[in-house]
Amino acid sequence: MDSPSRPRRLRCSVQSYDWGRLGGESTVARLYSKNSAEEIVPDRPYAELWMGTHSSGPSFVVDAESPLLLKSWVSANPGSLGEKVVERWGTDLPFLFKVLSVAKALSIQAHPDKELARVLHETRPEVYKDSNHKPEMAVAVTEFEALCGFVAVEEIKFVLSNVPEIVELVGHEYTNKALNINEDDGEDKTKSILQSIFTKLMSASKEEYSELVSRMKNRLDAENKVRKLTEKEQLALRLEKQYPADIGVLSSFFFNYVKLKPGEALYLDANEPHAYLSGECIECMATSDNVIRAGLTPKFRDVKTLCSMLTYKQGFPEILRGLPLNPYTKRYTPPFDEFEVDSCVLPEGASVVFPAVPGPSLFIVLAGEGTLKTGNAVDEDKILEGHIFFVPAETEIGVTAASGANSASALGALQLYRAGVNSRFFQ
């Protein structure tokens, strides 16, 4: 009899957004090809590999009698989610797991909290297709760049003193208010001034800002011949090449420029502005695809909603480096109930056990090969790069990396990631 408690192999979906890396340059393309047995198309952008139950990029159980939607399988086997998960989130995975391959900047965006998501879904379901919030976390696989959250007050003042094109758009009244902020001003007043400036900037007409973006480019190109440009100025020129005459080029000066090393992670709460710029990462989030965009994109922009929803919190974001669970595994724990992510790198011949947990897990083999077995079972299944598994609640998993002549990996290491419900939810 087939046990609903054993791991299930999945075939997953790919998204070809235009910011994705092309063909064989994309980790997403490589993983998707190995997962689905489809050929890589050299000139196709492969942006995101989706693992989960979201209808925009569903996963299928492939070791059933015939391919079956993971969402349908989970609904028919609610015990696989665990009692507490079903009680809180119903018969659906509460998290969506992804791999991203980013060649150029994604849109300047934010994700709504639960209340705003519900309102947007009710009023504009054709644009906002989910009623759920979408907190998320990105774990860098390569060097990974992002814009995230607003810079501190002193940097705001520096921007307004050194980027005349922004001053021209927002006006001298708002500029002077920001330049005169002092330590005695409360947090609410500072946020109010920042919101006024940012809203004025983002609400400018295309005719106004496109000329100023062009003027900024020409000014920086000229100044680059006589001085070294700042990192932010160099970034603005890079963004202008990707998105000419876009307001996002100017607004980038207001955000923290974050550079993650491989193994570092960034988490993003609801109502916080951000934009991924380049690199490859593992991403996990609450099950939702709600995105409110306002720049660096050809897609629909909802500037009014974005500017009104942001927290306008300032300061550099927290960088997670993972807490060791054992010599091979690190855990990234964001402050959200829906998910956590484990990163595991096993050298040749090494083994590790992922203990049984009260909720479901998704595993992806990012590189290498090895074997996987369930609990005390004798039989082992071979696992390879691109294999993705759904592991039911209360299921212990043992993984061993291939060694010697049994290993086809040049590095001899098995690299995999696990997404699951945040452990703190069960405590």
Side-chain angles (χ1 to χ4, degrees):
M1 182 175 168
D2 188 24
S3 168
S5 65
R6 71 175 177 83
R8 303 282 156 165
R9 275 277 307 280
L10 301 179
R11 188 181 78 239
C12 297
S13 297
V14 75
Q15 308 286 4
S16 294
Y17 309 134
D18 68 351
W19 49 259
R21 294 193 172 188
L22 296 179
E25 298 174 1
S26 169
T27 295
V28 166
R30 190 184 79 237
L31 294 169
Y32 176 68
S33 176
K34 291 179 181 294
N35 178 261
S36 65
E38 288 192 17
E39 292 284 323
I40 296 174
V41 180
D43 59 352
R44 178 183 179 188
Y46 290 83
E48 297 186 351
L49 179 68
W50 285 31
M51 300 165 278
T53 53
H54 197 284
S55 58
S56 295
S59 297
F60 295 84
V61 177
V62 294
D63 54 3
E65 288 184 11
S66 59
L68 179 70
L69 278 169
L70 175 60
K71 187 171 179 118
S72 301
W73 189 91
V74 163
S75 295
N77 296 278
S80 67
L81 298 174
E83 188 177 333
K84 282 197 75 173
V85 171
V86 173
E87 190 178 294
R88 170 77 176 271
W89 292 289
T91 55
D92 199 1
L93 272 186
F95 55 86
L96 176 59
F97 203 24
K98 297 181 182 180
V99 184
L100 270 61
S101 291
V102 182
K104 68 175 188 175
L106 282 68
S107 53
I108 290 172
Q109 59 185 258
H111 307 300
D113 58 28
K114 282 188 176 180
E115 179 58 28
L116 180 58
R118 185 186 61 77
V119 171
L120 291 173
H121 179 62
E122 285 177 1
T123 54
R124 283 185 280 176
E126 73 287 352
V127 177
Y128 301 110
K129 298 179 180 179
D130 292 294
S131 58
N132 196 21
H133 67 163
K134 190 190 172 189
E136 64 187 29
M137 177 173 67
V139 183
V141 173
T142 66
E143 298 270 328
F144 194 80
E145 296 177 289
L147 294 172
C148 176
F150 288 99
V151 296
V153 169
E154 288 312 307
E155 190 168 344
I156 294 281
K157 291 181 178 182
F158 181 85
V159 169
L160 294 172
S161 300
N162 290 277
V163 188
E165 296 81 12
I166 290 178
V167 174
E168 191 164 334
L169 267 184
V170 303
H172 289 285
E173 181 187 348
Y174 287 135
T175 298
N176 290 333
K177 282 183 179 179
L179 291 174
N180 290 315
I181 293 172
N182 59 55
E183 292 178 0
D184 296 331
D185 290 326
E187 186 180 340
D188 288 346
K189 182 179 178 182
T190 301
K191 284 184 177 181
S192 175
I193 292 170
L194 176 56
Q195 180 171 1
S196 298
I197 288 176
F198 187 71
T199 302
K200 189 87 187 310
L201 179 75
M202 299 304 289
S203 303
S205 69
K206 186 163 187 179
E207 291 72 24
E208 289 177 300
Y209 67 70
S210 57
E211 182 195 342
L212 286 165
V213 171
S214 178
R215 196 189 302 171
M216 182 212 69
K217 175 192 180 302
N218 294 335
R219 175 177 63 80
L220 292 180
D221 282 341
E223 291 182 16
N224 193 31
K225 293 171 183 171
V226 295
R227 68 174 177 90
K228 183 175 172 60
L229 299 182
T230 67
E231 265 195 335
K232 279 288 192 67
E233 289 171 331
Q234 292 173 44
L235 175 61
L237 288 178
R238 200 171 108 204
L239 294 175
E240 194 278 334
K241 280 185 182 174
Q242 295 174 2
Y243 298 94
D246 192 298
I247 188 61
V249 176
L250 292 177
S251 65
S252 67
F253 284 98
F254 286 91
F255 303 126
N256 297 293
Y257 182 21
V258 181
K259 295 179 179 180
L260 299 179
K261 299 187 182 94
E264 293 183 332
L266 178 71
Y267 67 83
L268 301 155
D269 211 338
N271 304 327
E272 295 298 340
H274 60 280
Y276 295 156
L277 302 176
S278 73
E280 297 185 292
C281 74
I282 296 289
E283 190 180 39
C284 199
M285 64 203 64
T287 302
S288 173
D289 194 31
N290 277 334
V291 181
I292 299 170
R293 302 177 181 87
L296 303 181
T297 181
K299 296 182 179 178
F300 171 71
R301 303 175 185 217
D302 192 347
V303 172
K304 185 177 179 182
T305 300
L306 183 104
C307 291
S308 65
M309 69 188 269
L310 298 178
T311 65
Y312 293 95
K313 187 169 68 179
Q314 292 172 273
F316 203 78
E318 181 183 4
I319 305 300
L320 302 180
R321 292 176 176 84
L323 291 174
L325 301 180
N326 55 56
Y328 310 118
T329 311
K330 290 192 297 185
R331 174 164 292 169
Y332 301 86
T333 308
F336 316 124
D337 286 350
E338 285 88 346
F339 60 90
E340 66 189 13
V341 172
D342 295 343
S343 166
C344 179
V345 179
L346 286 174
E348 285 191 43
S351 297
V352 72
V353 171
F354 290 88
V357 293
S361 301
L362 290 173
F363 283 80
I364 178 169
V365 181
L366 205 73
E369 62 179 75
T371 57
L372 177 149
K373 70 173 187 173
T374 308
N376 296 319
V378 176
D379 293 337
E380 295 181 327
D381 292 317
K382 190 171 185 178
I383 55 173
L384 303 167
E385 181 181 299
H387 280 188
I388 300 167
F389 296 88
F390 171 82
V391 175
E394 306 297 354
T395 304
E396 181 184 278
I397 293 294
V399 178
T400 302
S403 60
N406 298 320
S407 175
S409 168
L411 296 174
L414 175 66
Q415 185 177 6
L416 53 85
Y417 288 85
R418 167 195 165 265
V421 175
N422 197 313
S423 300
R424 292 183 305 201
F425 171 70
F426 301 109
Q427 293 169 2

